[in-house]
Amino acid sequence: MTWLRVEPNAEMREEQEAKMTITTKFTEMFGIEHPIVQGGMQWVGRAELVAAVANAGGLGFLTALTQPTPADLANEIAKTRELTDKPFGVNLTILPSINPPPYDEYRQVIVDAGIKIVETAGSNPAPHLPMFHDNGIKVLHKCTSVRHGVKAQSLGVDGISIDGFECAGHPGEDDVPGLVLIPAAAKQIEIPMIASGGFADARGLVAALALGADGINMGTRFMCTIESCIHQKVKGAIVAGDERGTELIFRSLRNTSRVASNAVAREVVEILSDGGQFEDVKNLVAGVRGRRVFDEGDLDAGIWTVGTVMGLIDDIPTCDELISSIVSEAEELIAGLNERVLHTQPRVHARELVHD
């Protein structure tokens, strides 16, 4: 279960309006200021974004496989360290791919570079844990179901990210939204747990804490920031889009992925719905085509991941502006709830109104 400590700032203390900081098991375990994470995102998790998140007090993750080679990852880590002296991590996602990358070499770079936080995703983290833990690295594992979270906990990961059906990328095959998934996981997870899928603002953070999480992970929201490297046309599409603007592809292949609804995604859905197999769509979903979307701004060049939370995004702030506003507004919401719920007059129960 989550725990939350709200601490008043003595310099600004006023009777009903105190400045507060939100401290959870997650911030304590991973050594960050705010319980807000920018998870790994292919073609997006680069030095400028990760450093900006870290400097704003959140936890950012470089995406290892965005870098063409392990040597490029080492260079990106060094570049990030030039931009921040705050904690940041590296995401290592292992998923089926047309040309599998050298995962062991990427893992070795992470260790050699002295990274202390790793986000694993896609497959069982067990093969990576001994090497990471032997080198003092904390592992945050992404899960899409309670059973996977419980399994990861039993393997010894240091924290989990529980991804609801709303999330971009791979939401799993159970189709359970966060409103149910987060509290269901909280009943069985004792290690720090962050919630992912559908989070973009202070209301989401407060809701996640209330549901039993220790923080939130945001992907799509961080894509749409000044420091995000993706093309301005993609950011504009996110701002202009709504919660209906995604497609679920690979459903029939049991490898569901949530992506933006564009011409390519709709063609993939149609081919697979008509009985097609992966070979029939392989060229349409190639990663190099998706990268063109982010690099060139051609929204129909390939598939690109985005979450239903697109419907909650209407601006392109800096990471500092985004994180600062989420935290300050969350503090106000928590204080307002305390005021409204704890300091109102006692309610009269219905049974007290019943006369003999």
Side-chain angles (χ1 to χ4, degrees):
M1 295 296 292
T2 190
W3 56 265
L4 171 69
R5 185 165 71 245
V6 179
E7 301 172 343
N9 183 327
E11 295 180 357
M12 301 180 66
R13 188 188 300 270
E14 294 181 13
E15 187 169 348
Q16 297 295 333
E17 300 178 2
K19 173 67 177 175
M20 298 176 290
T21 58
I22 300 173
T23 302
T24 70
K25 289 194 300 185
F26 184 80
T27 60
E28 296 273 307
M29 169 71 77
F30 291 90
I32 58 173
E33 184 178 358
H34 304 306
I36 298 174
V37 177
Q38 166 256 308
M41 294 177 281
Q42 185 71 336
W43 316 128
V44 182
R46 300 175 184 270
E48 292 82 0
L49 175 60
V50 172
V53 171
N55 287 332
L59 177 59
F61 284 99
L62 294 173
T63 308
L65 300 186
T66 290
Q67 302 305 316
T69 69
D72 289 309
L73 173 60
N75 291 336
E76 196 73 4
I77 292 171
K79 182 178 180 181
T80 308
R81 286 200 170 119
E82 293 175 356
L83 299 173
T84 185
D85 59 1
K86 301 287 185 67
F88 67 91
V90 174
N91 165 280
L92 185 62
T93 296
I94 301 177
L95 288 169
S97 60
I98 297 172
N99 298 302
Y103 293 114
D104 290 348
E105 294 179 32
Y106 280 99
R107 185 177 62 192
Q108 188 64 54
V109 165
I110 291 168
V111 171
D112 291 345
I115 292 294
K116 294 304 178 185
I117 305 173
V118 166
E119 179 186 60
T120 55
S123 67
N124 191 322
H128 306 283
L129 291 178
M131 187 173 183
F132 285 147
H133 282 161
D134 287 348
N135 288 277
I137 299 173
K138 291 184 173 64
V139 176
L140 177 70
H141 186 63
K142 297 190 75 170
C143 309
T144 59
S145 69
V146 176
R147 63 186 182 279
H148 293 154
V150 171
K151 177 64 175 179
Q153 178 175 254
S154 71
L155 292 173
V157 301
D158 302 283
I160 70 163
S161 171
I162 193 79
D163 289 18
F165 185 56
E166 304 92 333
C167 73
H170 296 272
E173 307 303 320
D174 294 343
D175 297 0
V176 180
L179 191 61
V180 172
L181 184 63
I182 299 165
K187 291 194 296 183
Q188 300 189 55
I189 299 299
E190 298 178 357
I191 58 178
M193 180 183 76
I194 59 171
S196 181
F199 296 101
D201 55 24
R203 294 169 298 179
L205 174 56
V206 174
L209 295 173
L211 291 170
D214 302 296
I216 57 173
N217 173 76
M218 301 191 302
T220 302
R221 174 69 272 196
F222 278 119
M223 288 171 62
C224 211
T225 56
I226 294 294
E227 295 88 352
S228 168
C229 65
I230 64 177
H231 199 281
Q232 190 68 21
K233 287 185 178 179
V234 181
K235 298 178 187 180
I238 293 172
V239 170
D242 63 27
E243 64 278 3
R244 301 168 298 172
T246 69
E247 300 284 345
L248 292 169
I249 63 174
F250 304 149
R251 300 236 77 187
S252 61
L253 305 179
R254 301 289 294 173
N255 187 29
T256 299
S257 184
R258 186 181 296 280
V259 299
S261 180
N262 63 5
V264 178
R266 291 189 291 271
E267 183 177 355
V268 171
V269 170
E270 182 177 359
I271 291 171
L272 295 179
S273 296
D274 290 340
Q277 298 301 311
F278 180 73
E279 288 297 318
D280 301 311
V281 299
K282 181 173 69 173
N283 293 331
L284 292 172
V285 302
V288 65
R289 294 186 58 162
R291 183 168 187 170
R292 283 184 53 205
V293 175
F294 291 137
D295 289 350
E296 302 172 15
D298 181 351
L299 299 177
D300 286 313
I303 60 169
W304 54 284
T305 57
V306 70
T308 59
V309 74
M310 183 165 50
L312 302 180
I313 298 172
D314 55 16
D315 62 352
I316 307 173
T318 66
C319 289
D320 183 65
E321 291 168 341
L322 175 61
I323 291 176
S324 296
S325 66
I326 289 176
V327 172
S328 62
E329 291 170 19
E331 292 165 352
E332 293 173 3
L333 285 170
I334 292 170
L337 287 170
N338 286 337
E339 173 70 19
R340 188 172 58 187
V341 175
L342 298 180
H343 301 291
T344 53
Q345 292 297 317
R347 296 188 180 190
V348 177
H349 291 285
R351 63 176 177 274
E352 297 177 15
L353 301 177
V354 178
H355 299 283
D356 292 335

